[in-house]
Amino acid sequence: MSSDRIAPPKKKWSWRSQAFRALVYQIVAVAVIALLVLYLASNTATNMRARGIQSGFDFLGGAAGFDIGESLFAFDSGEPYWRAYLVGMTNTLRVAVVGIVLTTLLGTLIGVGRFSRNALVRGLCLCYVEFFRNIPVLLQLLMWYLFFTEVLPISTEAWRFGPFFLSKGGLNFPIPVWAPGQVTAAWGLVVGLVGAWFYRRHAQRRFEATGQPQSTVWAPLALALACGLVGWLIGGAPTELDLPIQGEFAIENGGALTPEFMALLLGLTIYTAAFVAEVVRGGIQSVALGQSEAASALGLNKGQTMRLVMLPQALRVIIPPLTNQFLNLTKNSSLAVAIGYPDVVSIANTAINQTGRAVECIAIIMLVYLSTSLSTSVLMNWYNARAAITER
Amino acid sequence: MSAPIIRFDKVNKWYGDSFHVLRDIDLDIAQGERIVVCGPSGSGKSTLIRCINHLEEHQQGHLTVDGVELTDDVKVIDDVRKKVGMVFQQFNLFPHLTVLENLTLSPTWVGKMPKKEADEKAMEQLARVRIAEQAHKYPLQLSGGQQQRVAIARALCLKPKIMLFDEPTSALDPEMIKEVLDVMIEMANQGITMVCVTHEMGFAKAVADRVIFMDQGQIVEQNNPHDFFNHPQSERSRDFLSKILGH
Amino acid sequence: MTAQIFQAIAPRPAPVRTEGLVAWCKFNLFNSWGTSLATVLVGTALLLAIGRLVQWAVIDAVWVIDYNVCHAASGACWGVVREKFRFILFGRYPFEEHWRALICTVMLLALIVTSCTRACWKTWLAPLWLLVLAAYFMLMRGGVFGLRMVETDLWSGLPLTLLLATLSMAMAFPIALMIALGRRSGMPAIRSLCTVYVELIRGVPLISVLFMASFMFPLLMPQGFNIDVLIRVLAGITLFAAAYMAEVIRGGLQAMPKGQIEAAATLGLSYWQTQRLIVLPQALAMVVPGIMNNFISTFKDTSLVAIVSLYELTGAMGMAMNADANWRPFRIEGYLFIALIYFGFCFSMSRYSQWIEKQVNKSKLR
């Protein structure tokens, strides 16, 4: 038996050593990049001095000097630039959130429709996907904007659907007049949701104990809605609506959605839904046929097979690319600048034109979008790690 | 003699319009009988047993399982599937559920059994196939042989009268085939009706009451294992046996 | 048990036909009450919609180049397309020199088609790209061989779209390759730099990259050094496309079995030899569908450059239609015209990409 020997001394600083070579390469790479950045930065500084452009983010405190077409809260030209950016960001969020909800619904319907028994429905869904995927989104936005500004009638001859008006001025709809009833309804809903959660847990326990199937979706939902209803009744059951009426030049009262918002929302939703449909289709297809056969062989009916076997596996495949599509929708909302919707890119564009501070404004835009993307990536990685199918 | 538990009466099946995959199948299987179906690929063996629990639908003829004739009536199909268990070549375990959850899925959702009872019965079955210690692992953490044994236990949880096996060992590495066959032999000795499509001739010789040889959609020959393997009557059976026993 | 005498049974045709038109209709359109109802409803709605569309686009359409007739008619005005199509396709490029733009467009198209045919995936493909692109520049710009000089800010329309898409993909490819290899390398500094680049670019919209290129590049260059707007935009699109392509290539590299690299190491090949001779040929063949999708996206994304004052196809159309007050009410026909062009390109490219994916998978499944 050989005795333990001491490991031979490592030869450092030799070109032959892999570790040494790697170190050298990395130092060189970092040095080159650092030098490049310094060179570009110095150029930028010289050029900005020569053109008389100041740098720094202090311009954010100054008065904006422009009005914004639409915003969630009051804004006029005397407000500072940072408030203008805030308006832009809320506008972006507004269209992104609504767009994501609508596109998920539409895309899922179409994706599932590709598996329909009816060949007409299958064909329609296929045509939808191929048609809207292969035309650039900017072109689709421009076409929708054209529809809203050319095809629709002017405000004095608006199309009317009950209390809704559709015209070149946008969509006008009735909104409830704010009264205590809505507050109590909201509280009722909150209480109802908490109650629904407890009911669900109780129902699941009862199912495990007795084996009798319990309603774990519809009953809690009904409970939450009932509590909301009770809250509304307690608050005096307010039903008053602020109805839009045909004014002399435009529609007055009620809530309004501008044609820019509508065009952006519709264009983005319909474009992204085509991609969401493909993601959903891929997810459903990825679950092997044998899984549904095994479930049928065990006696599970179609609904149970879908809910307990197919959907959990399909969702794991669908969710990562689905969030990618959500991010794409958010990024595509930046095209609002082409149709005049005041989102954050549009505001930044105006700011650049007025102050000349290109570097700062572009940095702000990139920061806004980067934080959205990175936080979504982090969430997605967490979800993936948690939901991953455990393998060896 | 009591009524056969499975009866094929002039059963015919086509894929599309022209591929005649099952031709005039007449077959009676008695309760407790152990059948091995063999034959070249494409002969219709898998289709035959998949018709028994209506994973495939026959177009002509009458197929009766445990006294009930199989039609496309959903209730009839559900009733039959509760009495017939199936083990697949590709295991088809649900990868997002643990082994225990795989077994209790049907008893709780279809059999309306309380969870505790279902868990106990499932652990019994897992112990029967000697894999109880893996109950809380996920299927993809197990080896192929272990997964197939879990699949067998899962089918047994329904307490079926008939067990169907569709090439259960064809997807396994050689050293794992024995552990699965051992489980199947043990099950055979407990009186359950078994119909097994397999190439494992050793299993057929050990366990089967009858060997059915199929070729091109027809039952060519049926006999007890001893007579089938040593004195095949038909030219095609001789040809087939020489190929699989030769190497 | 004795065996019966075996008698072979000949195959018979099925008693109930499942193939053929009638059977197909029964199975796919009318197989249950719900399906039949859906067929009737959807079918009627579809027929009505298509009927209206055909009425507008074909039956009532006006084909003559007279805007008065167009105003009077209720159908589509295709006269505007006939009148304006040269402006839409070639933009601000001088009218008499349109033949040069046409030749350049055809050249680029031929280049793309050649690159797509499997038979042409040889080593002479790379020099061919350089040659064709150089010829494109020479012909479009002129100034030599007695051709009239046309500055780059006059290049517009379809030739510009094709140039932006192909040139940026060509330039993005080596960059993406380096970044993909860098992200998979063992050296942490290089890996971080590449990851930061990719995540940064993928996290922001293309328009912000174009703004950056358009507004910031002049500031980054030393004083007195003027860059063409075309070069700036090209740089922006290239950087953007490179990040996405790097991810696609990285996916292909990851799908390589480790055993390949280990086998190469045992044969004594260096890192770069392994990449060049073993890894990349296999990985790149696998990612062709992904790169094709990249190309389709880049092709669609070129429409954004209108926002930074380069008039490719979408911008040229906007310019052509807005300039002439007589034809301005008929912009929708112009939009439909270029939508058709984009659809034609993108659809055929995506069909090709699906076809090639099947080919690649065929060679994988043995």
Side-chain angles (χ1 to χ4, degrees), chain A residues 207-213 288-301 304 307-310 312-313 316 389-392, chain B residues 50 53 55 78 81 84 86 88 92-97 102 105-106 108-110 112-116 138 140-143 154-155 158:
Chain A
F207 171 62
E208 288 178 7
T210 63
Q212 298 300 319
L289 181 62
Q291 293 288 302
S292 73
E293 282 191 346
S296 310
L298 285 172
L300 295 168
N301 65 35
Q304 288 166 332
R307 197 157 43 106
L308 300 168
V309 176
M310 307 290 281
Q313 295 186 61
R316 280 170 170 85
I389 290 190
T390 324
E391 301 187 11
R392 270 194 200 261
Chain B
R50 283 161 67 97
N53 69 349
L55 285 180
D78 273 345
R81 283 187 180 157
V84 177
M86 183 151 189
F88 299 84
N92 286 338
L93 292 177
F94 306 131
H96 60 294
L97 302 173
N102 262 277
L105 186 72
S106 185
T108 43
W109 288 94
V110 180
K112 301 205 199 315
M113 216 188 269
K115 186 164 181 299
K116 259 185 77 172
Y138 284 89
L140 293 179
Q141 291 176 297
L142 307 178
S143 76
R154 181 176 69 174
L158 300 171

Side-chain angles (χ1 to χ4, degrees), chain A residues 144-342:
Chain A
W144 280 109
Y145 191 54
L146 192 71
F147 169 78
F148 277 99
T149 52
E150 303 263 314
V151 174
L152 287 182
I154 56 177
S155 310
T156 44
E157 300 165 15
W159 291 345
R160 212 190 150 142
F161 310 99
F164 294 91
F165 287 87
L166 192 59
S167 69
K168 275 205 231 284
L171 177 71
N172 296 75
F173 51 90
I175 50 176
V177 173
W178 196 248
Q182 271 102 16
V183 181
T184 50
W187 277 112
L189 202 62
V190 168
V191 167
L193 281 171
V194 171
W197 187 73
F198 277 111
Y199 178 84
R200 216 179 110 96
R201 263 201 359 190
H202 170 74
Q204 274 169 340
R205 293 237 176 86
R206 228 180 7 171
F207 171 62
E208 288 178 7
T210 63
Q212 298 300 319
Q214 308 285 322
S215 166
T216 50
V217 174
W218 297 116
L221 196 67
L223 181 66
L225 288 175
C227 288
L229 188 67
V230 165
W232 181 71
L233 284 170
I234 292 178
T239 51
E240 200 184 326
L241 291 173
D242 184 8
L243 290 169
I245 50 167
Q246 184 75 273
E248 206 178 299
F249 300 109
I251 316 284
E252 289 160 18
N253 297 339
L257 293 174
T258 60
E260 286 81 16
F261 178 80
M262 302 274 288
L264 190 64
L265 185 68
L266 270 175
L268 285 177
T269 304
I270 293 183
Y271 177 74
T272 318
F275 291 89
V276 170
E278 280 299 281
V279 167
V280 168
R281 182 183 72 95
I284 296 178
Q285 265 183 337
S286 74
V287 184
L289 181 62
Q291 293 288 302
S292 73
E293 282 191 346
S296 310
L298 285 172
L300 295 168
N301 65 35
K302 274 226 158 68
Q304 288 166 332
T305 307
M306 184 53 78
R307 197 157 43 106
L308 300 168
V309 176
M310 307 290 281
L311 221 49
Q313 295 186 61
L315 275 177
R316 280 170 170 85
V317 177
I318 288 177
I319 297 217
L322 190 65
T323 40
N324 225 13
Q325 291 308 322
F326 292 164
L327 280 177
N328 282 345
L329 187 137
T330 315
K331 287 189 283 179
N332 281 334
S333 71
S334 59
L335 293 176
V337 69
I339 60 171
Y341 178 76

